[in-house]
């Protein structure tokens, strides 16, 4: 079969260059996943827009089983916040040890996300979901019965690997089994279930100890493992590997025994054949001038999303509230009340208001939230308005969380899925996901150290990065954003330099004094 070059054909044209806007498969993506990293099933793929199907019971059941994995994703993200005080007290972990425990989840997710596409193509979508849940089960059990930091870290790493696989395969599977007229709505359930997983873990963690919370984390894993026996494999994946008869049987099962699947089966077959004619793109192929704008937007939004500090707040929210002088359990319950409705509102507004306006509003809200938290800690240091500062910190965290759930959490992933040509989505998804998880690890590991160093300075740093998000979205004020960000970065580097010099000088003086005494 003839192999076409990357430059040939409509499928290799970036969607941003088209006059007619085309959303690939709705807005059902979230922070941390790369739902459109694969070239199969993320979009209509040239399918005809004629015809529609209703959601059958099999489609609904398959979606519910799949999003059990999304809930697992959410529980993994939300676990470290309510568990922090219990783990530190019971096992005597230091700040560095608990920071490693919290952040190693993202290392595992990075590993899982990188290999997820190959595994999903090799053993199928159902097989990959089952494989990921084995990792998650082993990880949760290791955490629940751990006696020291080593077992905690191993368990957290295993959960992260499973989470990375789920972040890819769940939205892919949902997009591949649902009718194209319902695809956007169904894929949003993935994002909502992640939010529910985080929120309910916060809520349950306020009433149970950390070992019980880890055991509760195994329940959705078992639900998905058992449910996988009752749902069909993706028809698109079956067609992709040449099992056309089984693909039609699975499609008929999904659409109903009396449904006419002839047109949809033909579209899937033609789309699969077209993709097979395209040359496989490498990550290095992205670094061409014609992809420069898409690459800057895609990678830039991921960097700003992660360095906006979301994982620092998500992983250690309880500790932030306690440091501010507020109840950790009440604070996390308040976050639950805010997160779910704001995520649902963001899903509704995404297509109605447009990506850019919603991103601007969301980024402005996160900026305001960081400003309020920083102001709270600043007044606390000055011992001014001591009764007001805890409430101010709570309001700031809630404003930040709600604003991030509104747009910054999902929009960068949706934009990434829309700006790269189809044959580059696999490579682009891998690169963007790697950048996202790397940024997530840096933030989640460094956050506790920055809080110990200066809670006010930490909030200012996150605030400066959220200012960059707002100005970058305007596209014409990047220089001003850079200038606004520089004072914070320069001050931090200056302080770190003096801290290092003080430690170095003290160690030399101490050594010299010891030598003189001897």
């Amino acid at each position: 079969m003839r192999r076409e070059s990357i430059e040939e054909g409509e499928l290799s044209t970036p969607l941003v260059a088209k006059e007619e806007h085309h959303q690939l498969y709705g807005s059902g993506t979230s922070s941390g996943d790369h739902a459109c990293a694969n070239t199969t099933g993320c979009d209509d793929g040239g399918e005809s827009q004629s015809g529609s199907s209703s959601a059958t019971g099999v489609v609904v059941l398959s979606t519910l089983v799949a999003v059990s994995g999304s809930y697992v994703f959410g529980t993994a993200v939300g676990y470290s916040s309510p568990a922090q005080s219990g783990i530190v007290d019971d096992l005597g972990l230091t700040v560095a040890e608990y920071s490693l425990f919290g952040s190693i989840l993202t290392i595992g997710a990075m590993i899982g996300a990188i290999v997820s596409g190959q595994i999903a193509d090799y053993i199928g979508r159902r097989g990959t979901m089952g494989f990921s849940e084995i990792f998650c089960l082993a990880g949760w059990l290791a955490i629940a019965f751990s006696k020291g930091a080593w077992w905690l870290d191993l368990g957290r790493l295993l959960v992260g690997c499973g989470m990375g696989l789920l972040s890819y395969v769940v939205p892919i599977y949902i997009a591949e089994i649902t009718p194209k007229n319902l695809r956007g709505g169904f894929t949003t359930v993935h994002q909502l279930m992640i939010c529910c997983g985080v929120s309910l873990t916060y809520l349950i963690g306020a009433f149970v100890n950390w070992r019980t919370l880890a055991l509760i984390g195994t329940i959705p894993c078992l639900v998905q493992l058992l449910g996988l026996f009752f749902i069909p494999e993706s028809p698109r994946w079956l067609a992709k590997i040449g099992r056309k008869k089984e693909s039609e049987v699975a499609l008929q099962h999904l659409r109903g025994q009396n449904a006419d699947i002839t047109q949809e089966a033909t579209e899937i077959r033609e789309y699969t054949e077209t993709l097979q004619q395209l040359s496989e793109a490498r990550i290095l192929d992205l670094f061409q001038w014609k992809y420069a704008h898409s690459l800057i937007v895609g990678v830039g939004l991921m960097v700003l999303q992660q360095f906006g500090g979301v994982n620092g707040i998500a992983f250690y929210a309880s500790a932030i509230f306690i440091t501010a002088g507020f109840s950790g359990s009440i604070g996390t319950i308040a976050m639950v009340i805010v997160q779910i409705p704001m995520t649902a509102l963001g899903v509704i507004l995404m297509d109605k208001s447009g990506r850019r306006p919603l991103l601007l509003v969301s980024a402005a809200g996160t900026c305001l939230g960081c400003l309020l938290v920083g102001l709270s800690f600043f007044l606390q240091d000055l011992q001014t308005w001591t009764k007001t500062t805890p409430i101010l910190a709570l309001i700031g965290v809630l404003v930040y969380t709600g604003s991030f759930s509104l747009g910054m959490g999902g929009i960068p992933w949706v934009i990434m899925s829309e700006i790269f040509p189809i044959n580059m989505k696999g490579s682009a998804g891998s690169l963007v996901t790697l950048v996202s998880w790397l940024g997530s690890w840096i933030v989640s590991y460094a956050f506790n150290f920055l809080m110990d160093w200066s809670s006010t300075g930490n909030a200012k740093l996150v605030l400066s990065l959220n200012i960059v998000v707002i100005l970058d979205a305007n596209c014409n004020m990047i220089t001003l954003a850079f200038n606004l960000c520089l004072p914070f970065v320069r001050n931090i580097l200056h302080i770190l330099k003096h801290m290092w010099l003080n430690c170095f000088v003290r160690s030399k003086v101490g050594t010299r004094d010891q030598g003189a005494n001897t």
Side-chain angles (χ1 to χ4, degrees), residues 61-339:
L61 175 64
S62 301
T63 302
L64 290 175
V65 171
V67 296
S68 298
S70 308
Y71 186 89
V72 173
F73 185 118
T75 58
V77 172
Y79 177 78
S80 59
S81 174
Q84 182 170 359
S85 59
I87 291 177
V88 171
D89 292 341
D90 291 352
L91 301 181
L93 268 59
T94 64
V95 172
E97 287 173 330
Y98 195 81
S99 294
L100 178 61
F101 168 73
S103 64
I104 203 171
L105 179 79
T106 60
I107 300 294
M110 197 185 307
I111 297 169
I114 290 172
V115 301
S116 59
Q118 290 82 357
I119 293 176
D121 285 343
Y122 186 70
I123 66 174
R125 312 320 190 203
R126 279 198 317 167
T128 304
M129 285 189 280
F131 186 61
S132 65
E133 293 299 1
I134 293 173
F135 276 95
C136 292
L137 274 172
W140 283 123
L141 292 175
I143 292 171
F145 297 105
S146 61
K147 300 296 183 182
W150 192 87
W151 279 104
L152 276 177
D153 294 341
L154 177 62
R156 187 79 165 163
L157 181 68
L158 289 174
V159 173
C161 290
M163 189 177 80
L165 292 170
L166 290 169
S167 70
Y168 173 82
V169 72
V170 169
I172 285 291
Y173 178 77
I174 296 172
E176 290 180 346
I177 65 169
T178 49
K180 55 181 173 286
N181 61 305
L182 302 174
R183 194 167 297 158
F186 270 78
T187 49
T188 58
V189 181
H190 169 64
Q191 181 180 351
L192 288 173
M193 285 301 287
I194 291 175
C195 179
C196 289
V198 175
S199 300
L200 291 180
T201 302
Y202 285 163
L203 184 63
I204 297 170
F207 302 102
V208 301
N209 64 47
W210 61 276
R211 293 187 189 274
T212 305
L213 189 61
L215 289 174
I216 292 173
T218 63
I219 295 175
C221 303
L222 293 171
V223 169
Q224 187 173 55
L225 272 177
L226 294 174
L228 290 174
F229 292 101
F230 302 98
I231 63 175
E233 182 55 90
S234 163
R236 285 179 176 269
W237 178 76
L238 292 169
K240 184 178 181 180
I241 62 172
R243 293 159 62 178
K244 294 181 174 58
K245 187 66 177 177
E246 294 176 54
S247 173
E248 292 180 3
V249 171
L251 185 62
Q252 188 74 67
H253 187 43
L254 287 163
R255 299 295 176 261
Q257 296 305 316
N258 297 324
D260 183 8
I261 62 166
T262 306
Q263 182 181 359
E264 188 173 1
T266 302
E267 290 170 346
I268 291 174
R269 184 175 63 253
E270 291 176 350
Y271 179 52
T272 303
E273 291 172 354
T274 302
L275 284 178
Q276 290 173 347
Q277 294 175 12
L278 292 171
S279 59
E280 294 184 6
R282 301 169 301 169
I283 288 183
L284 291 177
D285 294 330
L286 280 170
F287 296 95
Q288 301 180 43
W289 183 252
K290 61 182 177 180
Y291 300 128
H293 181 260
S294 298
L295 194 63
I296 291 170
V297 171
V299 173
L301 282 175
M302 288 302 143
V303 169
L304 295 171
Q305 180 199 59
Q306 292 303 324
F307 283 92
V310 60
N311 282 300
I313 291 177
F315 283 20
Y316 311 115
S318 181
I320 295 172
F321 289 127
I322 293 171
T323 305
F326 199 82
S327 169
S329 57
I330 295 176
T332 50
I333 291 171
M335 288 178 67
V336 172
I337 297 172
V338 169
Q339 271 185 324

Side-chain angles (χ1 to χ4, degrees), residues 27-43:
S27 54
T29 49
S30 69
S31 67
D33 66 68
H34 60 302
C36 286
N38 194 299
T39 57
T40 305
C42 273
D43 51 82

Side-chain angles (χ1 to χ4, degrees), residues 315-505:
F315 283 20
Y316 311 115
S318 181
I320 295 172
F321 289 127
I322 293 171
T323 305
F326 199 82
S327 169
S329 57
I330 295 176
T332 50
I333 291 171
M335 288 178 67
V336 172
I337 297 172
V338 169
Q339 271 185 324
I340 296 178
M342 290 301 288
T343 302
L345 180 62
V347 167
I348 295 170
L349 293 177
M350 189 168 302
D351 290 326
K352 293 185 177 181
S353 65
R355 317 291 191 249
R356 188 169 172 271
L358 193 59
L359 185 66
L360 284 167
V361 172
S362 177
T366 56
C367 179
L368 176 62
C370 287
L371 177 63
L372 293 175
V373 175
L375 181 61
S376 168
F377 284 116
F378 178 70
L379 293 174
Q380 195 178 77
D381 290 341
L382 295 178
Q383 296 183 350
T384 305
W385 294 359
T386 53
K387 294 183 179 180
T388 308
T389 53
I391 303 298
L392 192 61
L394 173 67
I395 294 172
V397 171
L398 294 182
V399 169
Y400 180 93
T401 303
S403 299
F404 187 89
S405 300
L406 184 66
M408 278 298 295
I411 290 177
W413 292 103
V414 176
I415 291 177
M416 191 280 292
S417 74
E418 294 172 335
I419 61 177
F420 288 103
I422 291 173
N423 64 312
M424 297 301 295
K425 277 198 181 68
S427 300
S430 298
L431 177 62
V432 168
T433 302
L434 180 64
V435 170
S436 177
W437 285 121
L438 181 60
S440 179
W441 174 77
I442 292 171
V443 170
S444 57
Y445 183 73
F447 192 86
N448 280 328
F449 293 102
L450 289 169
M451 283 293 290
D452 280 356
W453 163 57
S454 171
S455 52
T456 308
N458 190 14
K460 285 181 179 178
L461 174 62
V462 175
L463 168 64
S464 68
L465 291 167
N466 283 309
I467 291 173
V468 175
V469 176
I470 298 172
L471 298 174
D472 182 63
N474 280 307
C475 296
N476 59 351
M477 299 181 70
I478 294 176
T479 304
L480 177 58
F482 183 73
N483 290 331
L484 284 171
C485 187
L486 268 180
F488 295 115
V489 177
R490 186 165 55 243
N491 288 338
I492 288 170
L493 292 176
H494 182 69
I495 292 170
L496 290 175
K497 175 184 174 183
H498 278 280
M499 289 172 64
W500 182 84
L501 286 175
N502 288 337
C503 293
F504 180 76
V505 170

